[in-house]
Amino acid sequence: QVQLVESGGGLVQTGGSLRLSCAASGSIFSFNAMGWYRQAPGKQRELVASLTSGGSTNYVDSVKGRFTVSRDNAKNTVYLEMNSLKPEDTAVYYCAAQQGIRWFWGQGTQVTVSA
């Protein structure tokens, strides 16, 4: 069973930065893709950034130029570097991994950006 554990969330002021980490229990090479999603109160979960096994990345328009998704294969960890944070980035951030037709999810980490 794949396990994903997020860390790095917290409270930050507008304009600040955070780096989220997602540590996988197995090799991230086994995943077709990994992604970061977020869900704000009263809103649907949305894809923030994704990274395929081939290294392609994709971002939602609202975070382009501010967020960067990357991976460390040796550590089986995927990161989300978040800069120039805005109050509208406040949400629970989830790590997800696709393995074939199956998806695995982390427990989520709260990111709160104060005005």
Side-chain angles (χ1 to χ4, degrees):
Q1 181 72 12
V2 173
Q3 289 187 326
L4 303 173
V5 180
E6 301 103 333
S7 61
L11 173 64
V12 65
Q13 292 184 333
T14 296
S17 299
L18 284 173
R19 187 177 78 159
L20 305 183
S21 300
C22 173
S25 58
S27 172
I28 60 176
F29 283 115
S30 69
F31 302 134
N32 305 100
M34 297 188 73
W36 287 95
Y37 288 74
R38 66 185 179 188
Q39 188 167 20
K43 295 187 177 181
Q44 290 188 333
R45 189 174 297 190
E46 67 169 350
L47 175 64
V48 176
S50 63
L51 175 64
T52 69
S53 57
S56 298
T57 58
N58 190 44
Y59 300 91
V60 67
D61 286 346
S62 61
V63 308
K64 285 181 179 177
R66 300 188 297 123
F67 290 13
T68 303
V69 61
S70 63
R71 67 188 181 198
D72 185 330
N73 296 330
K75 295 182 178 179
N76 293 319
T77 299
V78 173
Y79 303 98
L80 184 67
E81 186 76 34
M82 305 186 294
N83 299 311
S84 302
L85 283 161
K86 305 175 181 180
E88 50 263 44
D89 294 318
T90 294
V92 178
Y93 283 71
Y94 298 90
C95 175
Q98 181 187 17
Q99 191 176 64
I101 61 172
R102 300 179 67 184
W103 280 88
F104 301 93
W105 294 86
Q107 81 287 353
T109 185
Q110 176 71 46
V111 171
T112 303
V113 184
S114 62

